[in-house]
Amino acid sequence: MANITCSLCDERACYLRRYSGQRFCRRHFIEYFEKKVKQTMLRYRMLERGERIGVAVSGGKDSLSTLNILSKLAEKLDLDLHAILIDEGIANYRAATIKQAKRFCEELGVPLTTLSFKERFGTALDEAVKLSQRNACTFCGVFRRKLLNDAARELGCDKLATGHNLDDEVQAIVMNYLRGDLERLVRLGIDAGSEQLVPRIKPLMEMPEKEVALYALLSGIPASFEECPYAQDSFRTEVRAMINRLEESNPGIKFSILRGYQKLLPYLKSYQAKALRSCATCGAPSSGERCKACMLLEELTPSA
Ligand code: SF4
Ligand SMILES: [Zn+2]
Ligand SMILES: [Zn+2]
């Protein structure tokens, strides 16, 4: 950085926001970040006073930063926060992140509920992968989504907050475009409207991943930066690399992708005509006769 002072004071800058040209010192970066997250929550009407909010925590920078900001708002908005952690059963990875999440929840005084694939489904993710040809992320995504919703319902939460950042959102949008998966594309931006699904909020959805990482670091949040051992071979990894290359040469393109998608949403709503039914096996909302979790579980159960 040629000019190394903060745009707002005389302190040394630690971050240049390329798409706006602003430079921030530590204090002003934290202030900017928290203010922008609060504005996002306000704009999308994510919170109501007095609500009970389930917060999905994994021990990573995104979820712990989300919890940190929500806990700063909790008193003012009379929020009742409950952290929810899902233990998928991934050896040499999850145990360390669980420890970090527990520690941080204790620090903030937020109660934590842990649910595991093994206890709830009888199979840890590592075992499921050995029993099937499927990609680990397919099981992980479907089972985690189901358990998070179950936990939020069991705890009586009004909303479920997740740590998805701008990069996660944009990757999901582009992946669904590329696969031509309109159903998932719609689901990303519109609540299914089923009483059985706890509405989801994503307070960091407009914050680039790089900024979330810096926020966690500068705020002293004990987040894990370890990557899941299954992350390497996913389609998402390729899409992420492609979008990051585009952002390098066209600063701000991630925001353009998100805004373009939001403009498209009202037209996509008409596609959401397929009403959700109840899964014939577990009763959870499903677009088919049985939900994806039940179909995957059946694949893992040896037939009698
Ligand atoms: S990368 Fe790991 S944690 Fe993420 S969905 Fe895949 S298996 Fe689950
Ligand atoms: Zn400053
Ligand atoms: Zn089911």
Side-chain angles (χ1 to χ4, degrees):
M1 270 183 270
N3 187 343
I4 54 161
T5 53
C6 171
S7 304
L8 300 167
C9 73
D10 292 334
E11 288 293 314
R12 194 186 157 85
C14 61
Y15 180 61
L16 164 68
R17 202 168 164 235
R18 280 189 67 209
Y19 51 89
S20 69
Q22 274 173 298
R23 296 176 307 275
F24 295 102
C25 65
R26 176 182 176 276
R27 179 169 70 93
H28 281 119
F29 177 78
I30 292 176
E31 264 180 36
Y32 141 77
F33 188 95
E34 292 183 348
K35 193 171 157 204
K36 194 168 167 209
V37 175
K38 284 176 199 165
Q39 282 169 345
T40 306
M41 288 197 272
L42 211 63
R43 177 145 33 98
Y44 295 93
R45 296 169 197 268
M46 292 187 189
L47 299 173
E48 301 278 344
R49 177 172 290 279
E51 279 184 326
R52 177 172 290 186
I53 309 289
V55 187
V57 296
S58 65
K61 64 183 189 322
D62 305 296
S63 60
L64 296 190
S65 296
T66 304
L67 184 65
N68 193 46
I69 294 178
L70 284 172
S71 79
K72 288 187 181 196
L73 283 172
E75 202 177 329
K76 196 171 158 210
L77 291 178
D78 190 23
L79 301 174
D80 181 12
L81 299 181
H82 282 257
I84 303 169
L85 191 147
I86 306 299
D87 179 1
E88 305 91 346
I90 305 174
N92 303 321
Y93 167 68
R94 194 39 96 205
T97 58
I98 290 177
K99 221 162 129 186
Q100 257 146 333
K102 278 189 179 158
R103 209 179 91 201
F104 194 53
C105 287
E106 273 169 23
E107 230 173 79
L108 296 179
V110 175
L112 172 72
T113 298
T114 305
L115 264 60
S116 78
F117 282 12
K118 183 78 180 170
E119 276 165 19
R120 292 277 176 137
F121 301 124
T123 317
L125 184 62
D126 286 341
E127 294 162 12
V129 172
K130 282 182 200 142
L131 291 170
S132 163
Q133 302 293 322
R134 286 187 191 270
N135 186 302
C137 301
T138 304
F139 289 112
C140 189
V142 172
F143 289 170
R144 184 154 26 111
R145 200 178 162 82
K146 179 169 169 56
L147 280 198
L148 280 174
N149 191 60
D150 288 353
R153 289 190 71 198
E154 286 162 21
L155 289 165
C157 297
D158 300 296
K159 308 260 172 68
L160 173 65
T162 62
H164 292 92
N165 60 43
L166 174 69
D167 291 54
D168 296 326
E169 286 302 283
V170 169
Q171 284 157 23
I173 292 167
V174 174
M175 279 162 69
N176 289 324
Y177 277 141
L178 293 177
R179 286 177 168 146
D181 193 339
L182 267 190
E183 220 168 288
R184 280 197 183 181
L185 194 64
V186 179
R187 252 192 281 144
L188 256 186
I190 301 172
D191 262 326
S194 160
E195 273 183 17
Q196 298 211 47
L197 287 178
V198 178
R200 292 185 166 224
I201 56 170
K202 302 170 188 171
L204 303 185
M205 62 182 276
E206 305 221 328
M207 309 310 291
E209 179 166 27
K210 216 161 58 175
E211 293 190 6
V212 182
L214 187 62
Y215 173 75
L217 203 73
L218 296 179
S219 308
I221 294 171
S224 163
F225 286 84
E226 288 282 313
E227 240 204 356
C228 170
Y230 296 118
Q232 298 313 321
D233 48 20
S234 66
F235 178 49
R236 182 180 283 269
T237 311
E238 280 182 65
V239 172
R240 178 198 292 155
M242 178 187 82
I243 297 169
N244 283 343
R245 270 200 312 274
L246 280 173
E247 178 74 29
E248 258 312 296
S249 44
N250 306 272
I253 198 132
K254 290 177 186 172
F255 283 109
S256 312
I257 297 172
L258 182 68
R259 296 283 175 252
Y261 171 66
Q262 287 170 337
K263 282 183 201 157
L264 208 59
L265 263 182
Y267 304 99
L268 287 171
K269 272 185 188 169
S270 61
Y271 185 82
Q272 209 200 13
K274 227 190 213 179
L276 282 185
R277 320 189 233 168
S278 290
C279 166
T281 308
C282 74
S286 165
S287 52
E289 199 193 328
R290 297 172 68 226
C291 74
K292 192 87 198 275
C294 284
M295 289 198 288
L296 287 174
L297 272 175
E298 196 181 77
E299 281 181 30
L300 298 174
T301 316
S303 43

